[in-house]
Amino acid sequence: MELNEEQQLNEIKSNLETVQCRISEACKNVGREPNSVRLLPVTKTVSAERLRIAYAAGCHEMGENKIQEAREKSEVLSDLDIKWCIIGHLQTNKAKYLARIADEFQALDSIKVAEALDKRLQIEGRSMDVFVQVNSSGEASKFGLAPEDVRAFVAQLPNYSSLNIKGLMTLAIFSPDHDRVRQCFIKMRELRDMLRQEAPANLSFDELSMGMSGDYEIAVEEGATVVRVGQAIFGKRPLPDSHYWPGVA
Ligand SMILES: *Cc1c(COP(=O)(O)O)cnc(C)c1O
């Protein structure tokens, strides 16, 4: 049975509360402040009508994996003050759309994309907060730089002055083995700490975007400053994960 609007509002509110609660618990486990973690609701496949309800429930940031879907929704919802975050791989020919509609880009994974995006941002006369995506699991299905390539990559980023580098983003290995998941997050924290020391002076590496519905508590325990949570807020997605990450079951 379809829920009416009020029921949907209450459901989303209650899911948000549950996730916030678990973030707080995970913070408490390791002596962190709960407000040091930003919850980014991931809204891919969720309809624009439902996002209107989510906005009323308190979601004012929305993470979308695909630029085309984000474009459509940002148009329909342009009367709302939503911060749009693109969290999926970008093809360079879509950089102009990203530069127009997004407030943040969490999936920078090549110099080609950095160059295309910087050029488009210059045209728009603006800058954008950007995270460098790292493939922390080594899985071929995942986008992102190999951890050992990140330092050399980052050294080139000052050339692209409209990219406001904020930190790193990753997807951990999809595995029921919590230890293997945790290892991915630890690797990222260590990489971030190294970059804080050694990265070019005008780049900042304070942010660590990691953790999804299945593993955000582990990510928080290991230092995530942003968690990207979709299904735990909006319910199970109709499309399998293999639609987003080819090769994943
Ligand atoms: C879909 C997605 C998420 C959220 O996944 P859930 O399982 O819905 O929490 C996080 N990060 C990225 C890059 C995604 O595409």
Side-chain angles (χ1 to χ4, degrees), residues 108-111 132-138 142-154 157 168-170 188 191:
L108 179 63
D109 58 4
S110 77
I111 288 298
V132 175
Q133 184 170 354
V134 180
N135 183 347
S136 59
S137 68
K142 302 266 171 69
F143 286 107
L145 296 150
E148 60 273 21
D149 295 339
V150 172
R151 183 194 255 148
F153 178 78
V154 159
L157 293 180
L168 303 176
M169 180 275 233
T170 202
M188 290 292 288
L191 190 56

Side-chain angles (χ1 to χ4, degrees), residues 10 96 112 132 135 145 151 156 195 221 237 241 248:
N10 288 333
K96 62 170 177 281
K112 239 174 42 191
V132 175
N135 183 347
L145 296 150
R151 183 194 255 148
Q156 301 176 67
L195 292 169
E221 287 178 357
R237 267 187 301 277
D241 279 344
V248 169

Side-chain angles (χ1 to χ4, degrees), residues 65-160:
N65 187 283
K66 293 179 189 300
I67 188 73
Q68 183 55 32
E69 190 174 336
R71 273 178 81 193
E72 288 163 14
K73 289 176 182 173
S74 68
E75 198 152 303
V76 178
L77 301 173
S78 60
D79 56 313
L80 305 180
D81 185 17
I82 296 170
K83 173 173 169 171
W84 293 99
C85 306
I86 300 300
I87 59 176
H89 174 74
L90 185 79
Q91 293 169 292
T92 48
N93 62 351
K94 307 266 172 67
K96 62 170 177 281
Y97 304 119
L98 185 72
R100 270 180 215 157
I101 67 148
D103 296 285
E104 182 179 85
F105 177 47
Q106 293 203 359
L108 179 63
D109 58 4
S110 77
I111 288 298
K112 239 174 42 191
V113 167
E115 193 174 333
L117 180 57
D118 183 59
K119 196 183 287 171
R120 286 293 168 177
L121 288 166
Q122 307 274 1
I123 292 170
E124 299 284 328
R126 57 173 294 219
S127 59
M128 186 180 291
D129 289 351
V130 170
F131 293 54
V132 175
Q133 184 170 354
V134 180
N135 183 347
S136 59
S137 68
E139 293 167 293
S141 59
K142 302 266 171 69
F143 286 107
L145 296 150
E148 60 273 21
D149 295 339
V150 172
R151 183 194 255 148
F153 178 78
V154 159
Q156 301 176 67
L157 293 180
N159 296 332
Y160 309 105

